Amino acid sequence: MKLSSEWKLQWFEAGEKNPLELAAPYYIDHFWMTTAVPGDVHSTLIDKKLIKDPFIGHNDLDCRWVEEKEWWYRTSFSWDESLSKSEKLELEFEGLDTFATVYLNGLEIGSTENMFIEHSFDVSRAIKQGKNKLAVRFDPVTEEVEGKERNYWCSYGKERIWARKAAMNFGWDWGPRLVTTGIWKAVHLHKRTKGKFDGVFAKTVKANEEKALVEIKTDIKSFYPFHTENFRIEVELLTADGAEVCFVKSNLTTLHLEIDHPTLWWTHDLGEPYLYELNVKLKDEDGTVVDEHSQQFGIRTVTVEQKHENGENLFVFNLNGVRLFAKGANWIPVHSFIGAARNDRYSNQLELAKDAHMNMMRVWGGGIYEKDIFYEECDRLGLLVWQDFMFANALYPDYNENFMENVRNEVSKVVKRLRKHTCLALWCGNNEIDWIYDRKHSDGEITTPFYGEQIYHSLIPEILKKLDNTRLYWPSSPFGGNDLDAEEMGDRHNWQVWHGNVEPRKKGEAVVQDISLEGVSFKNYKKDYTRFSSEFGMHASSNQFTLKSYIPEGEFYWKSDEMSYRNKDHFHEKGILLMEGYTGIPETIDEYMNYSMLTQAEGLKYGIEHYRRQKPFTAGALIWQLNDCWPGTSWSMIDYELLPKASYYYAKKFFAPVMAVIDHDPGESLKLSVINDRLTSIKDSLNVDVVGFNGEVVFSRSLDFSVESNSVTELAVLSEEEVLNGASASKVIVRAYAATGSFEENRYYLRDYKDMNYPAAVVEIENNEAENTITLSSRELARFVKVDFNQSGVTCSDNFFDLLPGESKTINLCQLNGEAIQFEGISVSSMNSRKTIPIKELQR
């Protein structure tokens, strides 16, 4: 039974009212506001117009009072069933944010202090026949942590170290402080008889194309006077079409399935993410089903190799015996108000990730253990998941027994909930804590012991050894090498680019930053020979529609206070320096949007092509970050209104399974290679053309090649002088493409944007509303052609691309939720065009 309707909400000053009065069944809540469950307080107040939208302007500052109040939820429900002595009734909250006390019919039945996990209460004696009243009180975080020691390192709100809730609620360098509260997941009543499953874990023991062995381990909780040995387990494995593959039954709690000629689960780029249906039933001695568990299950093996056969260090994910290059991004919560976030916000963005050839998401440790929809979609789409535990950028009080018991309960429940998912490839203890502790301790900024160390290096691995030993546990990210962020082993966060960190550095050495034109430049990516780059990136503006929707009227201009407020990172000059080095410094809001997006896109392309050329010794590139939780300026590739930035469209090309790449810097030779991530070899000819901005081909070369599966082959080195053939480097574009079209064309300029001499271009547009397409062409080279929309969630088959002289390109348009495309709100421009052309002008 799901309790999702007729919830009421009200606030009080902390401690103002007697809790038993507000929880009493007879209390009159008729004039309380209605609210949604699942949901959150802020979303309700926005809907009721009691607070202004916190995403607009500085409104978030005006609703800080919300986090200071005591909030109450109440609902009524009817219960008409009786309970025998062998039955129990459990009230389960999938998510309570965060310090909550639960009352049923006026009785206090329990309290909680952890947002991340489910909470169950036995209400067999508190339930009544007929009408029942359920109330939940949420106390302010500040009240709960009052008097706690907080005078040690913690980024973004020191009270969060004692509160097991999403760290990003307290603000981060890409989002505002909005400390949420409420019933953020579903509420259920479960009637139990004799016993129940306390955990079901299906794991692939071994698998190949001939045979697979799957182990099903069950934990059973029996209710007195019944005993575990009185139950029987039945397991059924079905194909995706519902045909039976295996059926076994046993009195034992661990069962094994043998599957002949299994269909393996692969990431979508290597094969099919095939999922079986697994059904597990718990029966009593009479054969009655007392509990059951159903899930989708993929047969696969996944390991992380840390040594190459030649003795070199690796950090490469091996899926079903295949070393893969992890291509993907870091995932933050989809919204500042997570409880109210719709499921399609998850499915849409994960579909976009798949369409950009990504095969891995990293769930970052300052958010949440994601909702079920996230992992279900990753299972279905063939996306591996790097899963952080929720500890980020702070010291945590591992000296406190109550806190550690809370964490122990959290980790155990999280592992039991998530371990069933095929997509889950790695557990990671925390985000950046080990690394930053050493940096700050060396500088004298941190003088305390490493509080929290016992969590990542003792508690978590002990629990995983018992509950899930099938995946690598990695204590922190980054981790490994001379300063825990070294390129020679483990994973690395490259914050030389953007933050100007000077590398290499050894443990104990002082931290040096070079925030200068050269220090933050994306050209520094080419110095990085990391084993696995799990975090790196740079800022870009959101799209125009997103910014205009949330910036107050009159403030949409470059360097306005409201534009500055969109950027939560410190030292805004880093973004200026990055643009200055590649595009030049913007002077208008249009230039800022274009320059920042182009710099981010070209910078990520530069770095990722470098990383991919090093495979398998560099074996992963996870961009910071895929998504946004609010409409700001950040490292995201897809903005808050689900409009992809230029970097996303670039990713569809630089993450392609097969691609030709050119390693080049101004004045240097051009090194031509072909990258093949597929499991089959490729034989073709690579054509390299150098084309002037007037359309003249000044150089052409065809190179026959054969590239083995899952490998990189360097084909040739050409000098700039040879390929320019007397032409100016500032007036040509280089094309690299396959003779038979076996991979998409890749394009390069031989000089940075600011040093090019682009012609004035006129982009011609033809739209076809019936087909949801627009066709663009230009007589001159058009640089960075951009299609802007006046609605959210619109994606294109391509955007932010270049048109060669005389080239025509038809763009397919799609609205993620199936809504009609608003053609009258579309405009088209290029970096070297005279003006932006709205579609509506063409229709006149």
Side-chain angles (χ1 to χ4, degrees):
M1 180 180 176
K2 191 173 183 179
L3 306 181
S4 58
S5 60
E6 300 181 4
W7 284 90
K8 297 291 191 72
L9 176 69
Q10 188 56 276
W11 77 85
F12 300 90
E13 297 299 327
E16 172 189 355
K17 295 282 188 177
N18 181 346
L20 294 181
E21 175 190 349
L22 298 177
Y26 54 78
Y27 182 85
I28 299 174
D29 57 21
H30 181 74
F31 295 105
W32 287 20
M33 69 188 91
T34 57
T35 189
V37 170
D40 61 83
V41 166
H42 283 85
S43 296
T44 300
L45 297 178
I46 295 168
D47 290 342
K48 305 296 183 187
K49 295 182 170 41
L50 293 174
I51 59 172
K52 295 178 181 178
D53 187 339
F55 290 173
I56 294 176
H58 283 59
N59 288 348
D60 60 302
L61 300 178
D62 292 335
C63 65
R64 286 281 177 90
W65 63 270
V66 175
E67 67 177 83
E68 299 168 359
K69 305 302 179 184
E70 178 180 295
W71 292 92
W72 281 78
Y73 282 74
R74 283 172 58 96
T75 191
S76 297
F77 64 92
S78 294
W79 177 258
D80 299 319
E81 301 181 41
S82 60
L83 290 174
S84 68
K85 290 184 178 180
S86 66
E87 294 176 324
K88 287 184 182 292
L89 191 64
E90 291 182 344
L91 175 63
E92 181 182 81
F93 295 87
E94 293 184 15
L96 292 169
D97 180 12
T98 293
F99 295 100
T101 305
V102 180
Y103 304 84
L104 181 60
N105 297 322
L107 301 176
E108 181 181 330
I109 61 172
S111 59
T112 74
E113 52 181 355
N114 197 309
M115 172 189 184
F116 300 126
I117 55 177
E118 69 277 12
H119 302 277
S120 293
F121 304 94
D122 183 348
V123 295
S124 304
R125 299 178 66 190
I127 199 78
K128 293 181 179 179
Q129 288 277 331
K131 187 177 180 181
N132 289 263
K133 181 65 72 171
L134 177 62
V136 184
R137 183 185 90 231
F138 290 93
D139 295 316
V141 172
T142 51
E143 291 286 321
E144 289 296 319
V145 302
E146 184 68 28
K148 301 283 190 183
E149 175 59 57
R150 302 196 295 272
N151 191 27
Y152 46 81
W153 171 54
C154 174
S155 303
Y156 314 107
K158 287 182 178 292
E159 65 268 49
R160 72 178 177 87
I161 62 177
W162 290 94
R164 296 307 298 147
K165 74 185 265 85
M168 50 82 72
N169 284 170
F170 298 88
W172 216 264
D173 54 10
W174 36 258
R177 180 186 174 107
L178 290 162
V179 181
T180 57
T181 194
I183 305 174
W184 75 284
K185 284 187 175 182
V187 185
H188 302 272
L189 272 175
H190 294 292
K191 187 178 181 181
R192 307 288 191 186
T193 303
K194 297 183 179 179
K196 67 175 182 177
F197 284 129
D198 195 36
V200 176
F201 184 25
K203 61 183 179 182
T204 304
V205 177
K206 57 183 179 180
N208 55 43
E209 293 179 351
E210 298 298 319
K211 189 178 286 290
L213 178 63
V214 174
E215 180 181 278
I216 317 293
K217 186 175 173 83
T218 63
D219 295 317
I220 300 171
K221 184 176 183 180
S222 61
F223 305 145
Y224 181 82
F226 302 96
H227 301 285
T228 301
E229 56 266 25
N230 295 331
F231 294 107
R232 186 171 76 247
I233 310 294
E234 291 185 357
V235 177
E236 178 185 48
L237 187 70
L238 307 176
T239 66
D241 297 326
E244 185 175 283
V245 178
C246 291
F247 177 83
V248 296
K249 57 184 179 181
S250 176
N251 290 327
L252 302 176
T253 56
T254 299
L255 300 87
H256 292 89
L257 308 178
E258 287 191 2
I259 300 99
D260 292 327
H261 305 290
T263 302
L264 300 182
W265 184 93
W266 292 93
T267 52
H268 66 91
D269 53 332
L270 296 180
E272 179 187 3
Y274 188 86
L275 293 169
Y276 291 87
E277 180 183 337
L278 178 70
N279 299 312
V280 186
K281 293 181 179 178
L282 179 66
K283 290 188 174 182
D284 65 12
E285 65 274 13
D286 299 324
T288 302
V289 176
V290 298
D291 201 2
E292 52 190 325
H293 167 92
S294 295
Q295 68 171 88
Q296 291 188 308
F297 178 72
I299 297 174
R300 60 98 182 100
T301 59
V302 61
T303 59
V304 178
E305 295 183 62
Q306 297 188 59
K307 278 291 181 184
H308 192 268
E309 47 269 24
N310 70 3
E312 288 192 54
N313 292 327
L314 290 177
F315 198 89
V316 58
F317 286 84
N318 185 308
L319 178 64
N320 300 326
V322 175
R323 288 172 176 163
L324 61 80
F325 190 98
K327 297 173 285 191
N330 286 258
W331 177 276
I332 66 168
V334 298
H335 205 286
S336 290
F337 307 133
I338 305 164
R342 292 171 23 172
N343 280 353
D344 58 15
R345 193 165 180 88
Y346 285 85
S347 54
N348 285 335
Q349 293 190 85
L350 289 171
E351 286 275 6
L352 286 173
K354 174 180 177 280
D355 290 346
H357 307 291
M358 297 184 190
N359 59 23
M360 181 175 283
M361 294 286 109
R362 175 183 173 229
V363 179
W364 167 75
I368 58 172
Y369 306 100
E370 271 300 348
K371 295 180 180 179
D372 291 343
I373 182 66
F374 173 84
Y375 303 100
E376 290 165 359
E377 286 292 276
C378 288
D379 283 343
R380 180 181 69 86
L381 295 171
L383 299 169
L384 291 171
V385 172
W386 171 310
Q387 178 67 55
D388 281 7
F389 287 93
M390 294 300 115
F391 301 93
N393 302 67
L395 298 179
Y396 290 88
D398 61 355
Y399 51 81
N400 183 280
E401 289 298 322
N402 292 337
F403 180 84
M404 288 295 279
E405 188 56 35
N406 190 6
V407 170
R408 182 179 298 277
N409 185 39
E410 171 190 323
V411 172
S412 298
K413 285 187 173 181
V414 165
V415 172
K416 283 187 174 183
R417 180 170 81 89
L418 299 186
R419 64 186 177 177
K420 69 180 181 180
H421 287 285
T422 308
C423 61
L424 187 60
L426 176 144
W427 296 104
C428 179
N430 68 69
N431 176 74
E432 296 188 338
I433 296 176
D434 290 55
W435 171 48
I436 296 180
Y437 177 81
D438 176 68
R439 291 167 62 90
K440 290 183 177 292
H441 190 266
S442 299
D443 276 359
E445 184 176 342
I446 294 178
T447 58
T448 67
F450 185 0
Y451 298 140
E453 184 177 22
Q454 292 301 309
I455 298 172
Y456 331 119
H457 296 277
S458 179
L459 185 150
I460 295 176
E462 285 176 5
I463 292 173
L464 285 172
K465 184 178 180 180
K466 178 181 177 182
L467 298 180
D468 182 12
N469 62 357
T470 67
R471 290 138 174 131
L472 175 68
Y473 172 65
W474 199 239
S476 183
S477 182
F479 194 77
N482 59 45
D483 77 336
L484 302 177
D485 189 41
E487 66 178 25
E488 68 267 14
M489 65 183 299
D491 74 311
R492 189 182 207 192
H493 291 189
N494 186 319
W495 290 120
Q496 182 175 4
V497 178
W498 184 263
H499 287 310
N501 292 352
V502 175
E503 306 289 353
R505 170 190 168 272
K506 293 182 179 180
K507 278 187 179 181
E509 289 183 348
V511 175
V512 179
Q513 287 185 297
D514 178 12
I515 301 177
S516 67
L517 208 62
E518 294 76 21
V520 304
S521 169
F522 66 70
K523 302 293 179 70
N524 288 311
Y525 283 135
K526 200 180 286 187
K527 301 174 184 176
D528 185 7
Y529 289 86
T530 177
R531 306 296 92 173
F532 193 102
S533 191
S534 52
E535 211 184 280
F536 65 100
M538 60 199 78
H539 269 197
S541 168
S542 291
N543 287 278
Q544 178 176 266
F545 170 75
T546 302
L547 291 177
K548 278 190 170 180
S549 298
Y550 297 94
I551 290 179
E553 187 175 353
E555 289 291 324
F556 186 63
Y557 60 88
W558 177 229
K559 291 190 175 181
S560 73
D561 286 345
E562 292 293 346
M563 274 299 299
S564 180
Y565 197 64
R566 298 291 102 187
N567 183 353
K568 298 303 182 184
D569 187 30
H570 302 298
F571 306 118
H572 289 192
E573 66 268 25
K574 289 179 291 189
I576 301 297
L577 288 168
L578 264 165
M579 290 184 287
E580 182 180 356
Y582 186 71
T583 60
I585 299 174
E587 296 181 357
T588 66
I589 188 66
D590 287 329
E591 283 190 343
Y592 166 66
M593 290 187 291
N594 285 333
Y595 285 9
S596 65
M597 281 208 201
L598 179 63
T599 301
Q600 183 194 47
E602 291 285 353
L604 291 176
K605 177 178 189 286
Y606 186 91
I608 286 164
E609 288 186 356
H610 164 71
Y611 290 141
R612 292 188 67 186
R613 285 193 296 267
Q614 313 309 317
K615 70 177 291 186
F617 300 104
T618 296
L622 306 183
I623 298 166
W624 184 269
Q625 62 207 62
L626 181 72
N627 56 322
D628 266 335
C629 67
W630 84 303
T633 295
S634 78
W635 294 266
S636 73
M637 305 171 73
I638 302 169
D639 75 23
Y640 170 76
E641 288 293 342
L642 302 196
L643 294 170
K645 300 179 185 180
S647 59
Y648 172 81
Y649 291 101
Y650 270 55
K652 293 178 75 171
K653 299 166 187 174
F654 63 59
F655 274 153
V658 183
M659 65 183 303
V661 295
I662 298 177
D663 178 4
H664 171 263
D665 286 304
E668 303 294 329
S669 295
L670 289 70
K671 300 176 183 177
L672 281 58
S673 302
V674 175
I675 299 169
N676 179 18
D677 287 346
R678 296 204 184 279
L679 302 185
T680 55
S681 60
I682 296 174
K683 194 172 184 178
D684 206 334
S685 295
L686 175 64
N687 295 334
V688 180
D689 295 342
V690 179
V691 183
F693 290 168
N694 59 2
E696 177 188 358
V697 177
V698 300
F699 173 85
S700 185
R701 177 74 57 86
S702 182
L703 301 165
D704 294 336
F705 69 87
S706 178
V707 182
E708 294 300 315
S709 63
N710 206 16
S711 66
V712 180
T713 297
E714 185 174 306
L715 302 184
V717 178
L718 306 174
S719 70
E720 262 198 5
E721 183 180 14
E722 179 182 6
V723 302
L724 285 171
N725 197 23
S728 170
S730 66
K731 295 183 179 181
V732 297
I733 184 172
V734 182
R735 304 171 58 211
Y737 57 97
T740 64
S742 58
F743 51 81
E744 192 169 348
E745 181 175 314
N746 204 351
R747 295 177 174 179
Y748 296 85
Y749 294 92
L750 299 180
R751 296 293 181 269
D752 294 341
Y753 176 85
K754 61 183 173 56
D755 300 319
M756 297 298 293
N757 188 7
Y758 295 110
V762 177
V763 179
E764 298 180 357
I765 309 162
E766 181 180 333
N767 62 299
N768 185 333
E769 296 190 26
E771 299 292 331
N772 279 340
T773 64
I774 56 175
T775 300
L776 307 176
S777 59
S778 177
R779 289 186 292 271
E780 307 81 20
L781 180 130
R783 180 70 164 117
F784 207 60
V785 177
K786 175 175 67 173
V787 184
D788 259 324
F789 303 93
N790 198 31
Q791 68 183 118
S792 63
V794 181
T795 63
C796 311
S797 55
D798 200 4
N799 202 353
F800 302 95
F801 54 83
D802 298 344
L803 286 173
L804 295 173
E807 185 178 17
S808 177
K809 188 167 208 174
T810 297
I811 308 301
N812 298 301
L813 308 180
C814 173
Q815 209 286 332
L816 292 173
N817 291 324
E819 299 171 8
I821 301 292
Q822 299 173 14
F823 274 82
E824 69 278 4
I826 296 175
S827 61
V828 178
S829 63
S830 74
M831 296 272 277
N832 56 324
S833 61
R834 293 302 183 195
K835 65 174 183 175
T836 299
I837 308 174
I839 290 286
K840 60 185 178 183
E841 286 189 7
L842 300 172
Q843 296 172 332
R844 291 191 183 128

